[in-house]
Amino acid sequence: MTDDLPAQDRLPMLREVYGRTILNADLEQVDDSPIQMDMRVRLLPGIGIATGSASPIRVGVTSQMVDNDDVILLAALAGGSHMQIGRHEESVLPGCAMFVPGGQVGANVTRPGFTYVNLRLERKALQPLLGDVSRMMMRPIPVHEGPMRLLLSYATALQQMDEALPGNMARMVATHLLDLTALTLGATRDAEQVALGRGLRAARLAAIKSDIAARADLHGISAEEIAAEHGLSPRYVRKLFESEGLSFTEFALGQRLKRAYKMLADPVWACRSITDIAYEAGFNDLSYFNRAFRKRYDATPTDVRSEALAA
């Protein structure tokens, strides 16, 4: 994050860390606005994920920098950018995404307010699922429709995790991302059937979990309500959770308890009663809340609050 650096050091630092080490590209300032970049990177087997925001900047690749033939997805959640690959130019408008061929000379110029999700995928991993990958490049795709919406939602949910994924899980998640990418680009018939039963299911479950965790009000949340919001059947939603050995009710309870724990450990909430906190977290029955909390954390709400205040 560049906000922690003196203004005069930002571009040299970005060129060294982001440009040469991560992207193998050159960065240039395109206007007089202060340089700003906030980026989070996660590396998986055969896939790189980067999310964040950037001020107007030019990211260029020269012939000497070309060292791979990866496929790159650039999704502009806001701000947009202008992409130039060889003689082909295309704008990535806000709310659109584009698959771009790697391994070619070109540049991407970001626009003010640019917020993005970026995926870099090995072409050799995508090729068996798609056939001719090249014919699907440089075409704008809306970010809020179909498999693209689930692909970006899944990648964003991964970026919200602080911990690294263990080996087997990292490989599984990378496979899910490949499945969703193949569905987005138009997988072959056989690959589509596999992806529908593997990557799509995982992405839907991740999107549902993310939506539940982000809800301001967890009172009375039900599988029926969530299913309606996602255009699915309640039975299918329950089966998604059961595939992980967990019921919808258990997951929703876990989110309520997690929210209560965070509030109890936060000094900002120290002036509020435990009853108030239980209600804010989605509980209507204080006795049930106390029992469930102690079972989950092997401590009472009072214990957690006292320990936090003492610390």
Side-chain angles (χ1 to χ4, degrees), residues 257 288-301 303:
L257 291 171
Y288 174 66
F289 165 68
N290 284 321
R291 291 196 303 272
F293 191 94
R294 185 159 193 164
K295 182 177 180 181
R296 173 62 62 94
Y297 296 109
D298 195 26
T300 68
D303 293 336

Side-chain angles (χ1 to χ4, degrees), residues 130-164:
L130 294 167
D132 183 9
V133 176
S134 60
R135 65 185 174 84
M136 304 162 190
M137 301 293 101
M138 302 294 286
R139 297 180 180 179
I141 305 171
V143 300
H144 298 301
E145 296 180 7
M148 177 62 77
R149 177 178 63 84
L150 288 171
L151 172 60
L152 298 180
S153 174
Y154 193 49
T156 301
L158 289 169
Q159 293 295 76
Q160 292 170 350
M161 299 172 59
D162 292 326
E163 66 275 11

Side-chain angles (χ1 to χ4, degrees), residues 254-276:
Q255 292 302 303
R256 293 188 184 106
L257 291 171
K258 185 183 295 185
R259 187 168 298 181
Y261 189 101
K262 287 182 178 179
M263 288 189 286
L264 288 164
D266 188 343
V268 172
W269 289 83
C271 61
R272 300 286 293 274
S273 69
I274 290 177
T275 301
D276 287 345

Side-chain angles (χ1 to χ4, degrees), residues 24 60-68 103-106:
N24 194 21
V61 176
T62 65
S63 57
Q64 292 79 17
M65 295 173 176
V66 172
D67 63 354
N68 65 75
Q104 297 189 35
V105 174

